[in-house]
Amino acid sequence: MVTEMNIHSLPDSDQRLEAIFQAFGDLLFILDEDGSILDYRSGDVAHLYLAPSQFLGRKIQEIYPYKVGRKYSNALFDIHSINKMVLIEYSLPMGFGEGWYESRLIPLANRQIIACVRDITKYKQSEIRSERQLQKLAALRAIDLAITTDSDLGTTLTAILNHVRAQLNIDAASILLLNKNNQLLEHSAGVGFYTTALKHTSLPIGEGYAGMAVLERRIIHISDLHFNQLGFLRSPHFGAEDFIDYYAVPLSSKGISLGVMEIFHRSHLSGDGEWLSFLETLAGQAAIAIDSAMLFKELQQSNNELMLAYDKTIEGWSRALDLRDRETENHTLRVTEMSMKLARNMGIPEAEMIHIQRGGVLHDIGKVAIPDNILFKHGPLTEEEWKVMRLHPLFAVKLLESISYLAPAMHIPRSHHEKWNGTGYPDGLSGENIPLAARIFSIADVYDALTSDRPYRSAWSKTDTLEYISNQSGIHFDPGIVPEFISMVAD
Ligand code: C2E
Ligand code: SIN
Ligand code: SIN
Ligand code: SIN
Ligand code: FE
Ligand code: FE
């Protein structure tokens, strides 16, 4: 209200107008219909694009840079055609940096125009800042997603580098990871390079700019790479990349060095505080990704080792069984291979194969619990002996049920004596209630049993056996699988 009181106390209307401009800080032009500046008023002369002496007599569309001038030309055209206020917005390179302005052009009765220019730099800057903030959040979110969805470290790192490149407006970026075994920094991902100059980088800690950043645990910044290529002696082709600005940011997690992120630009980077702090944030994200991916890899590796140890163990068991039952030696191996081949021919997914393999290897493991006098009996079994013999699938289940990784492989040991018509054992399943893997396996098992000598009979011929299997289609065996099997064996 102070301003208003001053205005009223001023005697002359011109002076009053001046006071209003002082108060609002706007710039006011009075323009002729062709844009010529007839007069102007300004709150603060110090903040003008041009000195006032250069305004008068010139056309407003000609005093500004070309793009802004065009906006004024178009505005002048519009205002004459619609005879209503026209609003334009533009930016100008000012002493303090980029200035943003909003200009309202208001038509007067005599075809002259008042242009009222207001400095909106502050609003524009905060708008730009929040837009950038939003973009950063989106980038961080996208990186988070890449970390959680990709277990492959190389893919994750490349995704992060692409975000780094876009968000920091840089030409190229790479990540060198510290190899724990030899303590070398090795190129692991890179984006934006013309050449493969840095692809084979392998750098001791402390050597080169990247090695220095890791050793000294600080960001290294080189702003004139053309004259400072000593840090890149590692690659003779580096010069061809034509980089000028460079940052090496050490990557660490929980105090442990993981590697270094390198930023390359083919001109100078502004590198202001905001830019640098975002660089550090992104490097932090990269470190988290590396840390979790490495942890995952180690877990996977020890898990793989455990699996391998298990597989060796079950193979040992089944070999022990084959050794005990000398006449079925290699039976296990042969039927396992045959049923895997049949499964593949039938288009069973590769991921299932390991279960079929383990199940095949273990299919008769329950026979370890069958007494010698039954298992090796020369001649048909009595009803009592059959009761015991038919327990071998359930013995296998009892033996292995506590080993969780074998659970998906247990269909074969449990169900390989089920029959399509429901007269098999131990569960009396029929048709497609019998697990597919067991239906496939049982054909191979019977084929191999019949073509081998047994204590209770000698081997059948291949022709007789195939004929038998064919006759059992829809009785013992899945009629959908039998033809597949026969054509496989016929080959
Ligand atoms: P295995 O010898 O590995 O036989 C597996 C399957 O092949 C048998 O399951 C049966 O479906 C088929 N198979 C084997 N030999 C013959 C045969 O001579 N004729 C016909 N038609 N099919 C045959 P199965 O019948 O459930 O037998 C399971 C296991 O019981 C056999 O495994 C074998 O260890 C034992 N076994 C079966 N029959 C006799 C027998 O007469 N004497 C003795 N000592 N053991 C027998
Ligand atoms: C100027 O015109 O000189 C300053 C920028 C503006 O207010 O348009
Ligand atoms: C599968 O899971 O389908 C293969 C293993 C099996 O059924 O025994
Ligand atoms: C399997 O897991 O054995 C295959 C599915 C089925 O047919 O039961
Ligand atoms: Fe069996
Ligand atoms: Fe068998």
Side-chain angles (χ1 to χ4, degrees):
M1 291 304 115
V2 174
T3 322
E4 210 171 311
M5 278 172 58
N6 284 344
I7 291 167
H8 288 299
S9 64
L10 290 168
D12 149 292
S13 75
D14 241 23
Q15 261 179 311
R16 194 183 289 180
L17 214 58
E18 287 308 333
I20 292 173
F21 290 129
Q22 293 291 325
F24 289 101
D26 288 8
L27 171 66
L28 194 92
F29 291 107
I30 299 182
L31 307 174
D32 212 348
E33 63 180 304
D34 66 351
S36 299
I37 300 171
L38 301 173
D39 198 1
Y40 74 93
R41 290 288 186 283
S42 162
D44 188 351
V45 178
H47 292 143
L48 297 183
Y49 177 65
L50 286 176
S53 57
Q54 296 184 263
F55 283 164
L56 294 176
R58 294 179 66 190
K59 290 183 180 171
I60 194 161
Q61 60 270 40
E62 285 163 9
I63 63 170
Y64 290 116
Y66 178 74
K67 267 192 176 164
V68 178
R70 290 280 305 183
K71 286 194 178 180
Y72 270 107
S73 304
N74 292 339
L76 288 170
F77 180 83
D78 289 348
I79 202 161
H80 290 309
S81 49
I82 61 173
N83 204 35
K84 268 194 219 152
M85 189 192 80
V86 172
L87 194 135
I88 58 173
E89 198 182 293
Y90 53 90
S91 69
L92 290 170
M94 303 296 282
F96 57 86
E98 190 171 41
W100 283 89
Y101 304 93
E102 181 191 88
S103 181
R104 288 158 197 270
L105 291 96
I106 303 146
L108 298 175
N110 59 0
R111 289 186 72 80
Q112 289 185 350
I113 297 153
I114 292 184
C116 184
V117 182
R118 168 167 293 183
D119 184 340
I120 56 166
T121 307
K122 258 193 286 180
Y123 309 106
K124 205 68 191 180
Q125 279 173 343
S126 75
E127 190 183 309
I128 291 170
R129 214 173 302 131
S130 48
E131 212 163 273
R132 219 181 293 157
Q133 208 60 36
L134 213 68
Q135 264 181 18
K136 277 188 195 173
L137 285 176
L140 293 178
R141 174 86 193 101
I143 290 172
D144 266 349
L145 218 64
I147 294 173
T148 48
T149 52
D150 279 314
S151 56
D152 174 56
L153 185 54
T155 317
T156 307
L157 294 183
T158 305
I160 290 176
L161 288 181
N162 278 323
H163 286 293
V164 166
R165 194 172 162 216
Q167 295 302 313
L168 297 176
N169 281 312
I170 47 144
D171 287 326
S174 68
I175 286 177
L176 307 181
L177 286 185
L178 184 63
N179 182 330
K180 279 187 203 154
N181 299 324
N182 56 18
Q183 289 294 302
L184 291 176
L185 292 163
E186 294 169 349
H187 178 94
S188 303
V191 298
F193 294 94
Y194 295 153
T195 71
T196 56
L198 299 182
K199 266 240 154 86
H200 308 290
T201 299
S202 160
L203 203 63
I205 293 175
E207 254 178 52
Y209 299 131
M212 251 153 68
V214 173
L215 179 68
E216 297 173 10
R217 290 172 174 266
R218 66 181 179 92
I219 295 182
I220 305 258
H221 177 208
I222 308 295
S223 57
D224 49 358
L225 269 191
H226 275 176
F227 306 104
N228 286 286
Q229 293 201 358
L230 280 178
F232 290 93
L233 283 183
R234 47 185 155 129
S235 168
H237 304 298
F238 184 72
E241 290 281 359
D242 219 17
F243 291 129
I244 290 178
D245 220 327
Y246 171 84
Y247 285 83
V249 190
L251 302 174
S252 67
S253 168
K254 299 165 208 132
I256 295 166
S257 287
L258 300 171
V260 59
M261 184 158 89
E262 296 180 289
I263 302 295
F264 298 89
H265 200 54
R266 296 190 173 93
S267 54
H268 284 289
L269 286 165
S270 79
D272 60 22
E274 193 191 336
W275 187 91
L276 264 178
S277 94
F278 196 40
L279 170 61
E280 284 175 30
T281 304
L282 291 171
Q285 289 290 102
I288 292 168
I290 294 163
D291 196 43
S292 68
M294 280 182 164
L295 207 70
F296 184 80
K297 213 168 110 188
E298 275 164 25
L299 256 172
Q300 214 173 23
Q301 201 167 330
S302 59
N303 197 34
N304 278 348
E305 278 164 15
L306 204 67
M307 288 284 207
L308 225 64
Y310 265 133
D311 281 346
K312 285 271 169 278
T313 306
I314 62 175
E315 258 174 58
W317 289 342
S318 102
R319 203 167 309 123
L321 180 74
D322 274 5
L323 282 177
R324 173 170 173 239
D325 190 359
R326 292 202 44 166
E327 273 149 307
T328 65
E329 218 178 294
N330 289 329
H331 162 73
T332 299
L333 204 71
R334 285 194 305 272
V335 288
T336 301
E337 277 178 6
M338 209 186 292
S339 50
M340 285 173 76
K341 190 170 169 209
L342 180 56
R344 271 206 182 88
N345 289 351
M346 293 175 53
I348 304 276
E350 257 335 274
E352 298 276 307
M353 289 304 158
I354 185 68
H355 304 309
I356 293 183
Q357 180 172 18
R358 287 175 185 147
V361 165
L362 291 169
H363 79 279
D364 268 344
I365 194 74
K367 282 184 180 172
V368 295
I370 306 295
D372 285 4
N373 65 328
I374 299 178
L375 191 63
F376 303 135
K377 184 174 179 183
H378 293 257
L381 302 176
T382 66
E383 197 42 46
E384 282 308 298
E385 290 166 336
W386 260 119
K387 272 189 191 152
V388 177
M389 180 55 84
R390 289 197 187 107
L391 288 173
H392 80 272
L394 290 179
F395 284 146
V397 172
K398 279 230 163 338
L399 205 60
L400 303 175
E401 68 191 349
S402 63
I403 303 177
S404 62
Y405 97 115
L406 289 178
M410 289 309 292
H411 296 295
I412 291 176
R414 183 182 187 115
S415 304
H416 70 283
H417 288 296
E418 299 292 352
K419 293 186 177 179
W420 185 256
N421 66 6
T423 62
Y425 60 93
D427 300 305
L429 301 177
S430 65
E432 292 190 350
N433 291 328
I434 306 166
L436 177 62
R439 278 181 267 144
I440 292 171
F441 182 87
S442 69
I443 305 179
D445 187 35
V446 171
Y447 176 85
D448 193 79
L450 287 174
T451 51
S452 305
D453 287 327
R454 283 288 185 267
Y456 51 92
R457 55 141 182 84
S458 48
W460 292 17
S461 72
K462 183 170 158 178
T463 321
D464 288 351
T465 307
L466 284 182
E467 197 189 317
Y468 174 79
I469 285 174
S470 183
N471 288 336
Q472 289 292 314
S473 181
I475 301 167
H476 187 159
F477 306 117
D478 181 346
I481 305 177
V482 168
E484 284 277 356
F485 179 82
I486 288 175
S487 76
M488 181 182 84
V489 173
D491 274 350

